[in-house]
Amino acid sequence: MKITQVEAIPMRIRREEAYLGGLPPGADREAYFLRPPYRALYSAYFETAFVKISTAEGVVGWGEALAPVAPEVVQQIVEQLLAPALIGRSPLDVNVLWNVMYDLMRERGYYGGFMLDAISACDIALWDLCGKILGQPVYQLLGGAYRQRIPCYVSGLPRPTAEERVELALQFTNAGFNAFKLAAGHGVRADAKSVAALRDALGDEATLLLDAHWVYSLDEAVQLGHALTDLGVGFFEAPINPEDVESHAQLAAAVAVPIAHGETERTRYQFRPWLMQRAADVLQPDVGRAGVSEVFKIATMAEAFNVKMAPHLSVGLGVCIAATIHVAAAMPNLYLLEYQPPVFEIANQLLESPLVCCDGGYEIPAAPGLGVALDERRLRQLQA
């Protein structure tokens, strides 16, 4: 069985409420915008890039890159650089093909970013193909499931005030969820107060997490880390610029709250110094940026350091979510998986049968491959 076609499909879905809440004043809905205090570009749309890999026998595998901005870049990389290297090859050679794709631009320094996002989308599609060809779900191909449901945390709580965030968290608590992550980074005192408000309302049994979006200096992060320790926070995510491994190592040594890192990294090579320097207690690779192959290898490497995994899962839609669930099921050192309710709702609109997340956990799709089928007609209507 050989690969005969590789197609990338960029898409945008308009939403009335942008990711992480409403648009800032003056933001143009037709363009990308900044959301202070965060420094990254955001879009008023949900944007992604799907990859469809087909064989001569008519078997199709679907992949998806986490592409929250400029999904057309992923499309060009897939169709111009990766597709020629895949066509004519066996989709069962999934690990071989990851290395083939990675080596295409390795000597030119493309170790991350859009190049690895595009490779990841193809890698996910290849695993989906393998499962369909062999009649097995992806988690089984990875060695089996350690758990029947994937425990998750509600991510973001995108409301402007502490009172509204507490109200939203209580709604999810009533629906069976008991773990929550704040999208913070608004100053040491403000972040500590936000977490304290949730702790007071939800009690000691709730798992609380904080994402600082890389806004703090080392000294500020140490100060906030001590406060988060006192509040019983499960992890302190992205406190300092992601390039600064050494400061994260100093922070991890100085505070008891676990330090989480990883959505910026793509490969085991990039995660290795974080483990060697004990700079992170929880790793957060994103399957839409690292692929099934690399995330599973990263998890295996982390296990040797007694480091837990909490895969990042933000605006990836149905295929990316399904792939992440399968990898999470197969890793022994899973902590929690991210759950973005507004994104999950959009993702299910693109699937023929919806994914299920309820009572604090994801159900694992059981059909061969990723266990999900995209509504291709709907997908083509939304193609960018």
Side-chain angles (χ1 to χ4, degrees), residues 211 214 237 261-266 271 284-286 289 312:
D211 182 356
W214 312 283
E237 176 181 344
H261 169 82
E263 69 177 272
T264 56
E265 316 304 336
R266 267 68 171 177
F271 278 98
Q284 299 175 290
D286 194 302
R289 289 173 173 161
H312 180 260

Side-chain angles (χ1 to χ4, degrees), residues 20 55 69 86 145 161 226 283 301-302 317 335:
L20 294 180
T55 68
V69 296
L86 296 176
T161 68
H226 286 310
L283 298 188
M301 186 170 65
L317 298 182
Y335 176 44

Side-chain angles (χ1 to χ4, degrees), residues 286-354:
D286 194 302
V287 174
R289 289 173 173 161
V292 171
S293 297
E294 277 299 282
V295 171
F296 194 68
K297 289 169 185 171
I298 291 161
T300 301
M301 186 170 65
E303 186 186 4
F305 288 82
N306 199 31
V307 167
K308 292 190 177 295
M309 300 286 291
H312 180 260
L313 185 55
S314 60
V315 293
L317 298 182
V319 172
C320 189
I321 295 171
T324 307
I325 292 170
H326 279 274
V327 180
M331 60 177 65
N333 50 337
L334 178 72
Y335 176 44
L336 288 169
L337 184 55
E338 191 163 10
Y339 169 50
Q340 298 267 4
V343 180
F344 196 72
E345 176 186 346
I346 291 292
N348 275 335
Q349 293 177 14
L350 299 175
L351 300 177
E352 293 181 0
S353 297

Side-chain angles (χ1 to χ4, degrees), residues 350-364:
L350 299 175
L351 300 177
E352 293 181 0
S353 297
L355 291 162
V356 177
C357 186
C358 61
D359 297 324
Y362 288 97
E363 294 184 5
I364 306 171

Side-chain angles (χ1 to χ4, degrees), residues 46-68:
F46 284 109
E47 303 190 15
T48 195
F50 291 106
V51 166
K52 179 182 180 182
I53 299 183
S54 306
T55 68
E57 292 76 10
V59 185
V60 171
W62 286 97
E64 181 186 357
L66 183 63

Side-chain angles (χ1 to χ4, degrees), residues 180 182 188-210 223-235 256-258:
F180 304 92
L182 279 173
V188 171
R189 290 184 179 180
D191 284 358
K193 286 179 65 176
S194 292
V195 176
L198 282 171
R199 178 61 73 204
D200 289 343
L202 302 179
D204 293 338
E205 297 305 312
T207 298
L208 300 182
L209 315 166
L210 185 136
Q223 184 182 353
L224 181 54
H226 286 310
L228 297 179
T229 300
D230 293 340
L231 290 164
V233 167
F235 65 60
V257 63

Side-chain angles (χ1 to χ4, degrees), residues 36-339:
Y38 313 142
R39 291 165 289 177
L41 283 175
Y42 288 88
S43 173
Y45 297 82
F46 284 109
E47 303 190 15
T48 195
F50 291 106
V51 166
K52 179 182 180 182
I53 299 183
S54 306
T55 68
E57 292 76 10
V59 185
V60 171
W62 286 97
E64 181 186 357
L66 183 63
V69 296
E72 294 88 352
V73 177
V74 169
Q75 177 191 25
Q76 291 301 311
I77 293 172
V78 168
E79 294 186 349
Q80 293 192 38
L81 303 180
L82 303 182
L86 296 176
I87 291 172
R89 303 294 296 261
S90 168
L92 298 179
D93 292 339
V94 59
N95 278 310
V96 173
L97 293 177
W98 187 93
N99 282 280
V100 167
M101 291 187 286
Y102 187 67
D103 284 343
L104 294 175
M105 298 293 284
R106 186 181 201 173
E107 69 183 53
R108 299 183 176 110
Y110 290 96
Y111 304 125
F114 287 111
M115 183 69 188
L116 268 293
D117 299 346
I119 289 173
S120 298
C122 293
D123 179 77
I124 293 168
L126 289 170
W127 279 99
D128 190 32
L129 262 177
C130 286
K132 290 172 178 175
I133 292 167
L134 299 174
Q136 296 290 330
V138 167
Y139 72 77
Q140 197 67 63
L141 300 182
L142 293 171
Y146 281 90
R147 52 200 64 83
Q148 298 306 308
R149 285 172 57 82
I150 309 302
C152 67
Y153 63 86
V154 178
S155 184
L157 296 177
R159 296 293 182 267
T161 68
E163 293 77 15
E164 290 172 300
R165 289 190 289 272
V166 165
E167 180 182 1
L168 184 58
L170 287 172
Q171 292 175 16
F172 281 109
T173 299
N174 292 334
F177 295 86
N178 200 36
F180 304 92
K181 185 173 80 176
L182 279 173
H186 300 289
V188 171
R189 290 184 179 180
D191 284 358
K193 286 179 65 176
S194 292
V195 176
L198 282 171
R199 178 61 73 204
D200 289 343
L202 302 179
D204 293 338
E205 297 305 312
T207 298
L208 300 182
L209 315 166
L210 185 136
D211 182 356
H213 289 266
W214 312 283
V215 304
Y216 291 119
S217 67
L218 174 58
D219 289 343
E220 292 168 332
V222 170
Q223 184 182 353
L224 181 54
H226 286 310
L228 297 179
T229 300
D230 293 340
L231 290 164
V233 167
F235 65 60
F236 183 12
E237 176 181 344
I240 306 167
N241 282 339
E243 299 88 351
D244 194 349
V245 183
E246 179 60 33
S247 286
H248 282 87
Q250 293 179 48
L251 174 63
V255 299
V257 63
I259 304 304
H261 169 82
E263 69 177 272
T264 56
E265 316 304 336
R266 267 68 171 177
T267 67
R268 76 203 95 142
Y269 311 115
Q270 293 172 335
F271 278 98
R272 183 176 180 273
W274 290 84
L275 294 170
M276 295 296 293
Q277 296 185 47
R278 298 286 180 179
D281 306 287
V282 180
L283 298 188
Q284 299 175 290
D286 194 302
V287 174
R289 289 173 173 161
V292 171
S293 297
E294 277 299 282
V295 171
F296 194 68
K297 289 169 185 171
I298 291 161
T300 301
M301 186 170 65
E303 186 186 4
F305 288 82
N306 199 31
V307 167
K308 292 190 177 295
M309 300 286 291
H312 180 260
L313 185 55
S314 60
V315 293
L317 298 182
V319 172
C320 189
I321 295 171
T324 307
I325 292 170
H326 279 274
V327 180
M331 60 177 65
N333 50 337
L334 178 72
Y335 176 44
L336 288 169
L337 184 55
E338 191 163 10
Y339 169 50

